[in-house]
Amino acid sequence: MQGYATVASPFARKVRVAAIETGQRDLIEWRMLSREERPEVVPPINPLGKVPTVLLDNGEALYDSPVICAYVDSLHDGAKLIPAEGPDRWTVLRREALGDGLAEAVIAVAQESQKSPDMRSPRVIERQGAKVAAALAALDAETKTFRDPPSMGEIAAACALGYMEYRGVAADWRESHGRLAAWYAQILARPSFAETMPEDKA
Ligand SMILES: N[C@@H](CCC(=O)N[C@@H](CS)C(=O)NCC(=O)O)C(=O)O
């Protein structure tokens, strides 16, 4: 299966981590796109033009990251990242949505902050920054219920935190969210996270 990603995308990282965590490291052959390549390469496969997108061997495209992660999780017989049923299923999926929402708010803050001062909207930065703060507080409060090994919910949360640090948004979050910070330091030691850490600014 062919995958399309950018090196820093927290959503693509979720899929890469999910594949490694489920023992399917080589399931997806990734093509890492530059910012310039993405709008050329992705729209013919995914009308939304976003990464991650994967192309199945039968020619069908899958997006977005929750769908691809669920697909990856359906392809192995080990412990599932997304419980098949019961209350835990909904907790995991809701936590994945919280992690994804944090990443989306971080992207919005970073993009707005990069604009020249005359084009920048302080209101957007304030509104999206408030979402970042609220998501961090929620994750910190529920750290005690996080699963080990991580479910899809914790994977999404950690990928969002990684992207937040990569972009320098809420730079002092570790000081004010001690439980979440301690958990995050531990999850970073997992091979799946170490191998997918975004390094180059993109
Ligand atoms: N909800 C989507 C979000 C994907 C997303 O926003 N990807 C960004 C990169 S991090 C992207 O491709 N942006 C390009 C665009 O919006 O045109 C998912 O979970 O996959």
Side-chain angles (χ1 to χ4, degrees):
M1 172 184 349
Q2 175 80 55
Y4 298 87
T6 51
V7 282
S9 168
F11 307 106
R13 189 181 185 196
K14 282 172 59 191
V15 181
R16 293 159 67 205
V17 168
I20 296 171
E21 288 287 342
T22 57
Q24 306 177 97
R25 183 179 263 93
D26 300 324
L27 176 69
I28 302 172
E29 190 182 323
W30 288 102
R31 179 170 167 196
M32 290 298 165
L33 302 171
S34 66
R35 266 192 192 174
E36 294 72 32
E37 287 173 316
R38 185 179 58 200
E40 298 289 322
V41 173
V42 182
I45 314 163
N46 171 357
L48 302 175
K50 296 187 181 196
V51 294
T53 293
V54 301
L55 202 50
L56 304 183
D57 293 341
N58 67 6
E60 184 176 351
L62 288 186
Y63 45 84
D64 50 4
S65 66
V67 174
I68 305 170
C69 290
Y71 181 70
V72 166
D73 202 32
S74 76
L75 298 179
H76 70 101
D77 295 325
K80 295 292 184 183
L81 298 177
I82 305 167
E85 58 191 5
D88 284 358
R89 173 176 175 80
W90 307 111
T91 302
V92 166
L93 291 175
R94 194 264 312 148
R95 189 168 289 155
E96 181 181 11
L98 180 58
D100 288 355
L102 172 59
E104 280 165 16
V106 167
I107 289 172
V109 170
Q111 285 181 344
E112 202 60 34
S113 304
Q114 280 169 3
K115 292 180 182 172
S116 60
D118 54 319
M119 299 295 287
R120 193 180 297 155
S121 163
R123 192 167 142 64
V124 168
I125 295 176
E126 189 186 332
R127 211 158 52 87
Q128 297 295 333
K131 290 183 195 293
V132 170
L136 282 172
L139 288 169
D140 190 58
E142 61 184 83
T143 303
K144 55 185 177 301
T145 65
F146 280 6
R147 291 167 159 236
D148 184 20
S151 76
M152 205 55 239
E154 289 83 44
I155 291 171
C159 289
L161 293 171
Y163 188 75
M164 202 174 73
E165 292 201 325
Y166 177 77
R167 289 290 178 214
V169 171
D172 59 353
W173 75 273
R174 291 200 196 211
E175 282 97 84
S176 42
H177 302 82
R179 290 165 297 199
L180 187 60
W183 167 81
Y184 181 63
Q186 284 189 351
I187 202 170
L188 286 188
R190 296 183 78 82
S192 59
F193 279 89
E195 284 176 35
T196 58
M197 181 72 90
E199 281 163 9
D200 302 325
K201 288 281 177 202

